[in-house]
Amino acid sequence: MADFEVDAQYSKDPEIDETLNALIEMAFGLAQEDLEKGEVLSPFTLTLFGENVSQDFFTGETPDEFRVAAELHVVRQANIADGYAFCYDGYLETNQGVMDAIIVEAAMKDDLAGVVYGLLYEEHDDKLVFEEKPRFIDVISSFLAEIEPEEDEAEDDEADEN
């Protein structure tokens, strides 16, 4: 679905909020469970609302359609969501060649940038073998980066009168 390049000397993991880290770990856990059961990993988001997390799945024909659907879903909830993780099955280009990976893109509400992690896996003897921990891939634009904060309507009305 995605084409991210992972170098042998990939960047050091950025320091991220522990809540965002927990959301990322949850996304990887859910995706890994599905794949280990032999299920197809449908792209999904985990959206954080206070202490509650909502999981939503997306359909589409192309990776772009999945991404657009996920982004629109997160943006529609921007005023009440505290963060999100977008998870999908993809691949990464490594120094060993192209490898399957679970990809997670995530950000908190007030972050202008999000982070992308990938968990590489291979099939050996009809069993999936996952790397021990996800690799940091890159910093990307957050789905919420373009969202303007809502202003108080009373302030807007007052400004219009002047």
Side-chain angles (χ1 to χ4, degrees), residues 91-131:
Y91 57 89
L92 297 172
E93 188 173 319
T94 70
N95 54 356
Q96 289 94 25
V98 175
M99 296 182 68
D100 290 319
I102 299 170
I103 310 291
V104 174
E105 303 176 20
M108 294 300 285
K109 183 176 189 163
D110 296 327
D111 296 342
L112 294 178
V115 291
V116 181
Y117 285 86
L119 181 62
L120 297 171
Y121 67 91
E122 295 180 287
E123 187 172 338
H124 292 287
D125 301 323
D126 294 329
K127 183 178 180 186
L128 295 180
V129 178
F130 293 86
E131 273 197 342

Side-chain angles (χ1 to χ4, degrees), residues 31-51:
Q32 190 171 343
E33 282 177 25
D34 284 351
L35 289 174
E36 287 174 335
K37 291 179 197 172
E39 297 176 10
V40 172
L41 177 58
S42 297
F44 67 88
T45 56
L46 295 178
T47 309
L48 180 65
F49 303 99
E51 294 183 13

